[in-house]
Amino acid sequence: MLEQMVERGALPVAVDTDRDVLVLSPLAEARFDEPSFDGTARAGADGRLYRWTLDDFVDQVAKYRPTQPLRLIAHTSRCGSTLLANLLGLRPHHMVLKEPGFLVHSSQRALRRGPSREDVLLRALLHYCRAVADAHHRSLVVKLTSWTAPLILRALEGSPDVRWLFQWRDPAAVVASQLASSPRWWTHEDIRSDVARLLAHQDETDPARFYALVWCAITNAALSTPMPSLRYEDLVSDKLRALLAAEEWLSLGVAQAAPDGFEERKSQYSKGSSSQRFDPVGAHRRPQLEEHQATAVQSLSGELLSALQNTAVPLLGPAKARP
């Protein structure tokens, strides 16, 4: 029975879309320190794997009534979302799943097969993770993979008790960063093809244009659902203030102090090892777009950027003096 999986802290680690099977592994007690959930799954693997047919899983999950809200971080990519997730993960009672592959695979499945049945699977996976977090007295936060946000927003439309936070950065900076260091989804041909499907089969031969269109798709979806926004520059200018505000908005409690390890963690390269420092003027510097690229990005994203700047409610209001 699925109750045993919940008690064992077994979280989804893979969706076999060919056989319609879900793979679970006991991970609920992990720290989730790695830059991605899949990295945590590899690091914490103890050989125990459990397989469930997707239909059986969806049927059994429906009976759970989680006590905590569903907390989700959507983002435009290259905007500090991994940094915020790393900082949220410093509190031991938080369970922060960073871009889990099982949601990527399920999103691909939804794109290929259509939303009606596949949205049910996306909802069930997130619902189940809440049940596991409840059973292990942890507070769940899921940082989505950037391009999956429109699909998961659609799947959760009308769902009660969902707390969204949208992190973003100017599209020119995002595209410049992605051109300098390709996102993982671009380097996997099957995922790249599915992202093109999300964009109504847009041509993939011009990466700058394609990246800009992905930014637009994510931002347009985020603007369709009321949620506070966190700008990259505001996060990096005051990381502690951003962390505390995010914790309050996500119903993680109202803290007055930084978690243990905050000073060390905030200066690390968020996607690297614990010893790698963030070096924005050296190893991690990203060159600006060429003029023709900047013009193309502006043409595609300018109106949405203005809407985001003018209508989105910022997570960080006027600064308050800290006690």
Side-chain angles (χ1 to χ4, degrees), residues 195-212:
V195 178
R197 186 178 285 112
L198 173 70
L199 301 177
H201 299 281
Q202 287 287 338
D203 184 9
E204 304 164 42
T205 58
D206 183 349
R209 184 176 187 279
F210 196 82
Y211 294 151

Side-chain angles (χ1 to χ4, degrees), residues 6-227:
V6 172
E7 291 170 3
R8 293 172 186 171
L11 290 169
V13 293
V15 176
D16 187 332
T17 55
D18 294 328
R19 297 177 178 83
D20 285 352
V21 168
L22 176 69
V23 183
L24 304 165
S25 180
L27 289 169
E29 301 303 322
R31 283 297 302 265
F32 302 96
D33 285 334
E34 294 74 14
S36 71
F37 172 78
D38 293 356
T40 295
R42 290 190 295 270
D46 63 2
R48 288 180 293 167
L49 295 173
Y50 307 95
R51 291 172 173 81
W52 291 79
T53 66
L54 294 180
D55 286 341
D56 189 27
F57 173 77
V58 169
D59 288 344
Q60 292 196 42
V61 164
K63 65 187 174 185
Y64 288 103
R65 297 292 179 268
T67 62
Q68 59 182 283
L70 179 56
R71 308 175 182 92
L72 297 167
I73 298 175
H75 61 95
T76 61
S77 185
R78 310 301 168 94
C79 58
S81 59
T82 302
L83 170 60
L84 180 64
N86 289 344
L87 297 176
L88 287 167
L90 289 173
R91 302 201 195 271
H93 61 284
H94 292 171
M95 177 190 288
V96 184
L97 310 188
K98 305 165 192 171
E99 305 197 6
F102 62 84
L103 289 180
V104 172
H105 298 150
S106 300
S107 297
Q108 290 181 268
R109 178 184 164 103
L111 278 167
R112 296 171 184 179
R113 301 191 185 187
S116 57
R117 183 169 175 267
E118 309 316 319
D119 283 356
V120 174
L121 176 60
L122 285 166
R123 290 193 297 270
L125 288 166
L126 292 166
H127 194 72
Y128 173 78
C129 290
R130 278 198 289 173
V132 172
D134 276 347
H136 292 264
H137 309 290
R138 302 189 73 173
S139 299
L140 177 72
V141 180
V142 181
K143 181 180 91 80
L144 303 176
T145 301
S146 59
W147 68 267
T148 65
L151 299 166
I152 295 173
L153 271 159
R154 182 196 65 198
L156 294 173
E157 186 176 4
S159 297
D161 212 11
V162 181
R163 309 285 288 187
W164 284 97
L165 174 61
F166 181 52
Q167 282 191 249
W168 65 281
R169 191 177 185 181
D170 185 287
V174 172
V175 173
S177 177
Q178 291 174 323
L179 288 172
S181 175
S182 300
R184 283 180 296 172
W185 57 261
W186 178 265
T187 60
H188 291 78
E189 185 175 351
D190 65 321
I191 304 179
R192 187 169 72 245
S193 296
D194 286 323
V195 178
R197 186 178 285 112
L198 173 70
L199 301 177
H201 299 281
Q202 287 287 338
D203 184 9
E204 304 164 42
T205 58
D206 183 349
R209 184 176 187 279
F210 196 82
Y211 294 151
L213 288 170
V214 173
W215 186 97
C216 290
I218 296 165
T219 302
N220 190 53
L223 287 172
S224 71
T225 301
M227 66 177 77

